[in-house]
Amino acid sequence: MTADPRIAEITARIVERSKPTREAYLDRVSQAISKGVHRSVLSCGNLAHGFAVCSPAEKDALSGDSVPNLGIITAYNDMLSAHQPFETFPETIRTAAREAGGVAQVAGGVPAMCDGVTQGQPGMELSLFSRDLIAMSAAVGLSHNMFDAAVYLGVCDKIVPGLAMAALTFGHLPTIFIPAGPMTTGQGNDEKSQIRQLYAEGKVGRKELLESESKSYHGPGTCTFYGTANSNQMLMEMMGLHMPGSSFINPNTPLRDALTKEAVKRAFAITVNGNEFTPVGQMIDERSIVNGVVGLHATGGSTNHTMHLIAMARAGGIQLTWQDISDLSDIVPLLARVYPNGLADVNHFHAAGGMGYLIRQLLNAGYLHDDVRTVFGEGMEAYAIDVKLGENGTVKRETIGNGPSADPKVLTTHDKPFQPNGGLKILTGNIGKAVIKISAVKPERRVIEAPAVVFHDQQELQDAFKAGELNRDFIAVVRFQGPKSNGMPELHRLTPPLGVLQDRGYKVALVTDGRMSGASGKVPAAIHVTPEAKDGGPIAKIRDGDMLRLDAETGTLEALVPAAEFDARDVASADLSGNEFGMGRELFAPFRHHVGTADQGASVVFG
């Protein structure tokens, strides 16, 4: 199948823009491949350390180069419900490796913080920076150079993008990402949101709120709303880094285990010792990145990926921009309705047809590049499938046809989309550049013109709401929340009060140089404003009472102030000393100092 000419044109310009960096990257990958993994030429001391804890048979196998060794990078911990199932994966992988005639070793662990635990807390200021730290940590594990391929165990928020950055940095190694799946459906996400708003209004207490939250987040697996974690899983499958159909199978089920074992055997098949050598740095190219962006728009995915995808692409020498993402959004329709873009959760999405049905529809419309390499072989057609448990614990795949999904209210056809464009848009104007997620915002709320109310801290807005000072039309400007200021924390504590005010009939919106991520919902929010206030961006010139206009239809974000007056204003400053210490924040001062801008990926290593 051929790609839509508009998709092909955007891909071609990314290829052209990326030529210098991509060619240099591929040259480095080729050089690393030519050196190979030659354990037999390691010093005896090196090798003895590398397999000291292995069995005699494994030591004998690893003494030469003929038996492949699989490196496991794991993000297991008990803090993330989505990562807790990974506790048992290494032993499953080792067993599958032995059965396949190879060896598997845990190469290293990486930090993985739960944004749900740290939401609104000081620890959230480490969250975005943890992505680059995860990439560095994975590099430490793989630097032992004992491995012929790598598998990555990660699911959530910054973890998967960080692991992807590491994988592409070690682009000479074949790579497969192995997910753990979503938790089973608990309390509906819409009911959870309603309880949060009632708590914000003081109509229910902490006991009722905790009971509600515990019903929503109740067991192992990813949170079931369509935030960054589940957007990550969509991306890995859309980019061909997952085994087909593996993204949204619940943890601790026979099918989940079968997919993990299958991934191990496939990892060996794509090593230099196998028949289908597929180094990830050559496999992931500009078409793969575009396929990921297309999937993001078609599902109304996380705004975090307007930064993560840029950083991931740069790790592979590919120069993706916000303009590319915005232009693709204008082309790709929204085909999925998953909370906060609808009432369904990811389990309902999977039951309706899931990734296989989505990929079938995108291929039918020409929105995807089918002619890509994946860990499964050639072409995205192999991913337009339904996956089931076969005989003897094997994986069985069936091709998905062209009819309606099992639930057209959750997953629709490309010719009957929920909206004609994607879930993300880029805004530009005299305030700077920003990102907005519109898939959950009603059309009548996508254009807001109202006076600014300026805050330098999210708690200030909370206090003003509780004091009854915000019962009016306004656009909240929450600044000094960018990566240089305080690590760019997510600001989801703002959602309940702003949602309450919107429900009361007021026209409200948010403008911030901070983040809102995949849970961005019904309130229009211009986020990731660049340049940020700490960099002297125009957002730092806005004053209380300035008329602002957020227009998600035309893609503009303006302070309606005469240009000469606005340009002549001094930029505001803020006391950020309270964000520099405590909960480890002092250790991340170099990150705040060296981090790049949001539109360049907000990275300290690929700025």
Side-chain angles (χ1 to χ4, degrees), residues 457-599:
D457 183 89
Q458 57 180 322
Q459 187 59 47
E460 293 177 3
L461 188 149
Q462 296 273 353
D463 294 342
F465 171 75
K466 291 177 181 177
E469 298 170 359
L470 299 179
N471 292 308
R472 51 192 165 113
D473 295 348
F474 72 101
I475 293 180
V477 177
V478 184
R479 61 194 182 195
F480 293 99
Q481 304 299 310
K484 288 186 181 295
S485 294
N486 61 356
M488 206 181 195
E490 291 179 351
L491 305 174
H492 290 306
R493 287 179 63 192
L494 303 180
T495 300
L498 291 175
V500 168
L501 294 168
Q502 182 173 268
D503 289 348
R504 289 176 181 171
Y506 299 113
K507 294 180 180 179
V508 296
L510 173 67
V511 173
T512 181
D513 48 12
R515 294 187 294 133
M516 291 288 280
S517 93
S520 303
K522 63 185 183 181
V523 177
I527 61 178
H528 306 178
V529 172
T530 304
E532 63 173 289
K534 183 72 162 54
D535 262 349
I539 190 174
K541 295 184 176 184
I542 298 172
R543 298 176 181 172
D544 283 330
D546 285 346
M547 289 298 294
L548 306 183
R549 182 177 176 85
L550 185 163
D551 190 334
E553 300 293 348
T554 62
T556 57
L557 180 63
E558 297 278 348
L560 304 181
V561 179
E565 176 189 343
F566 196 64
D567 292 342
R569 285 182 181 176
D570 292 333
V571 295
S573 60
D575 179 6
L576 299 172
S577 59
N579 304 100
E580 295 174 356
F581 298 93
M583 290 297 166
R585 287 177 288 182
E586 51 268 60
L587 298 175
F588 285 78
F591 283 62
R592 291 190 296 271
H593 181 71
H594 293 290
V595 67
T597 58
D599 63 328

Side-chain angles (χ1 to χ4, degrees), residues 132-475:
D132 289 20
L133 183 61
I134 287 161
M136 296 173 188
S137 301
V140 171
L142 293 173
S143 68
H144 296 102
N145 200 27
M146 288 276 293
F147 312 107
D148 301 274
V151 292
Y152 292 85
L153 309 182
V155 173
C156 290
D157 301 303
K158 289 5 128 255
I159 297 96
V160 165
L163 294 176
M165 290 163 68
L168 288 167
T169 301
F170 284 76
H172 61 289
L173 292 178
T175 291
I176 296 180
F177 279 65
I178 301 178
M183 68 176 68
T184 56
T185 299
Q187 175 180 260
N189 287 295
D190 192 48
E191 184 179 351
K192 174 192 69 179
S193 178
Q194 291 172 1
I195 296 294
R196 286 179 176 178
Q197 289 200 184
L198 290 172
Y199 179 76
E201 293 180 277
K203 295 179 179 179
V204 300
R206 180 179 171 84
K207 179 182 178 181
E208 290 83 2
L209 179 63
L210 181 57
E211 182 181 355
S212 169
E213 297 291 335
S214 298
K215 289 178 180 178
S216 299
Y217 309 117
H218 62 88
T222 60
C223 309
T224 59
F225 68 88
Y226 194 54
T228 308
N230 288 317
S231 296
N232 283 339
Q233 303 318 295
M234 176 279 301
L235 274 178
M236 292 300 97
E237 189 149 347
M238 199 68 71
M239 293 170 64
L241 286 164
H242 274 176
M243 297 299 287
S246 63
S247 293
F248 298 120
I249 305 299
N250 300 123
N252 305 320
T253 61
L255 180 54
R256 176 84 277 158
D257 292 342
L259 284 161
T260 299
K261 294 172 185 176
E262 182 191 52
V264 174
K265 294 175 182 178
R266 184 61 188 170
F268 286 138
I270 61 176
T271 65
V272 71
N273 297 320
N275 297 320
E276 301 176 63
F277 182 45
T278 310
V280 70
Q282 293 177 353
M283 185 192 95
I284 296 295
D285 61 15
E286 293 87 349
R287 296 167 300 175
S288 310
I289 296 293
V290 168
N291 281 355
V293 178
V294 167
L296 193 69
H297 292 319
T299 56
S302 172
T303 53
N304 273 324
H305 283 297
T306 60
M307 293 184 294
H308 296 332
L309 272 165
I310 288 173
M312 291 159 58
R314 289 192 173 194
I318 298 168
Q319 302 297 318
L320 181 71
T321 69
W322 273 6
Q323 191 61 55
D324 299 326
I325 295 172
S326 184
D327 289 348
L328 286 165
S329 181
D330 291 338
I331 299 168
V332 179
L334 183 70
L335 302 184
R337 283 286 189 199
V338 189
Y339 188 87
N341 309 327
L343 297 180
D345 67 17
V346 292
N347 293 308
H348 302 134
F349 168 77
H350 181 72
M355 290 300 301
Y357 187 86
L358 177 73
I359 289 169
R360 164 62 61 217
Q361 290 301 314
L362 293 171
L363 283 171
N364 286 351
Y367 294 131
L368 286 183
H369 292 284
D370 185 31
D371 57 339
V372 292
R373 296 173 70 186
T374 74
V375 298
F376 200 65
E378 297 287 338
M380 287 302 297
E381 180 69 28
Y383 284 74
I385 52 86
D386 183 28
V387 62
K388 297 179 180 178
L389 190 67
E391 296 180 1
N392 302 317
T394 59
V395 176
K396 178 182 178 182
R397 293 184 173 87
E398 298 175 353
T399 300
I400 286 181
N402 297 319
S405 76
D407 189 345
K409 293 180 180 179
V410 175
L411 195 51
T412 187
T413 55
H414 67 86
D415 56 342
K416 296 179 181 178
F418 295 119
Q419 66 182 41
N421 46 32
L424 302 176
K425 287 187 72 73
I426 306 303
L427 308 176
T428 59
N430 63 357
I431 297 176
K433 291 190 291 186
V435 174
I436 187 169
K437 181 175 178 177
I438 60 171
S439 49
V441 179
K442 292 183 178 180
E444 64 269 22
R445 292 173 178 157
R446 294 178 183 175
V447 179
I448 301 291
E449 188 173 307
V453 181
V454 180
F455 304 97
H456 287 180
D457 183 89
Q458 57 180 322
Q459 187 59 47
E460 293 177 3
L461 188 149
Q462 296 273 353
D463 294 342
F465 171 75
K466 291 177 181 177
E469 298 170 359
L470 299 179
N471 292 308
R472 51 192 165 113
D473 295 348
F474 72 101
I475 293 180

